[in-house]
Amino acid sequence: MARSTMRDDTTRMLVNRAQFDNTAESREKIREHVPAVRKIEHTLEYVDLVGSCHGFVSTLGRPVPKMRGQQFTHDERDTVRRQLARVRATADWLEGAPSITASSPWTSS
């Protein structure tokens, strides 16, 4: 019977959500009792952020020089401009954020 219940998408979603919430709650308790955990998480998040910035610049360093002199279609230019606007918004937010706790451009559509 339990097996057929888990086939129900709503039930599966609720079970997954409960497991996620329980895990998040456990992590918070650990952070409260072991401050070093938060410092380690901070270091990992910082390294991830810096690595992502480096990766972005490095990734663009390969195709951009090859594209010199190429003509973009109107749609291609619009797409690149939209993506660059997202990059700028993210960089501006990150640069101006006093701490990385405010809502970010990553979470909005």
Side-chain angles (χ1 to χ4, degrees):
M1 181 73 174
R3 189 169 182 82
S4 64
T5 305
M6 287 303 287
R7 289 183 184 158
D8 176 32
D9 289 340
T10 303
T11 303
R12 187 178 13 251
M13 182 193 71
L14 292 172
V15 168
N16 287 342
R17 183 74 219 173
Q19 289 172 334
F20 177 84
D21 290 345
N22 185 40
T23 301
E25 213 173 275
S26 296
R27 284 186 183 141
E28 278 308 310
K29 287 179 185 175
I30 291 169
R31 284 185 191 113
E32 288 173 15
H33 296 296
V34 186
V37 170
R38 184 61 202 133
K39 290 179 184 176
I40 292 168
E41 287 176 338
H42 169 81
T43 300
L44 292 172
E45 292 161 356
Y46 169 77
V47 168
D48 189 32
L49 176 64
V50 172
S52 295
C53 291
H54 173 76
F56 174 76
V57 172
S58 176
T59 298
L60 285 179
R62 289 186 292 272
V64 169
K66 296 175 189 174
M67 299 182 85
R68 287 201 172 111
Q70 292 185 23
Q71 297 295 316
F72 288 110
T73 67
H74 179 71
D75 287 342
E76 288 171 336
R77 277 193 306 274
D78 285 348
T79 299
V80 169
R81 285 183 181 130
R82 277 194 310 277
Q83 296 307 313
L84 285 173
R86 292 178 66 198
V87 168
R88 282 189 189 99
T90 301
D92 289 347
W93 174 84
L94 184 58
E95 187 176 49
S99 66
I100 311 297
T101 56
S103 65
S104 77
W106 293 279
T107 57
S108 61
S109 303

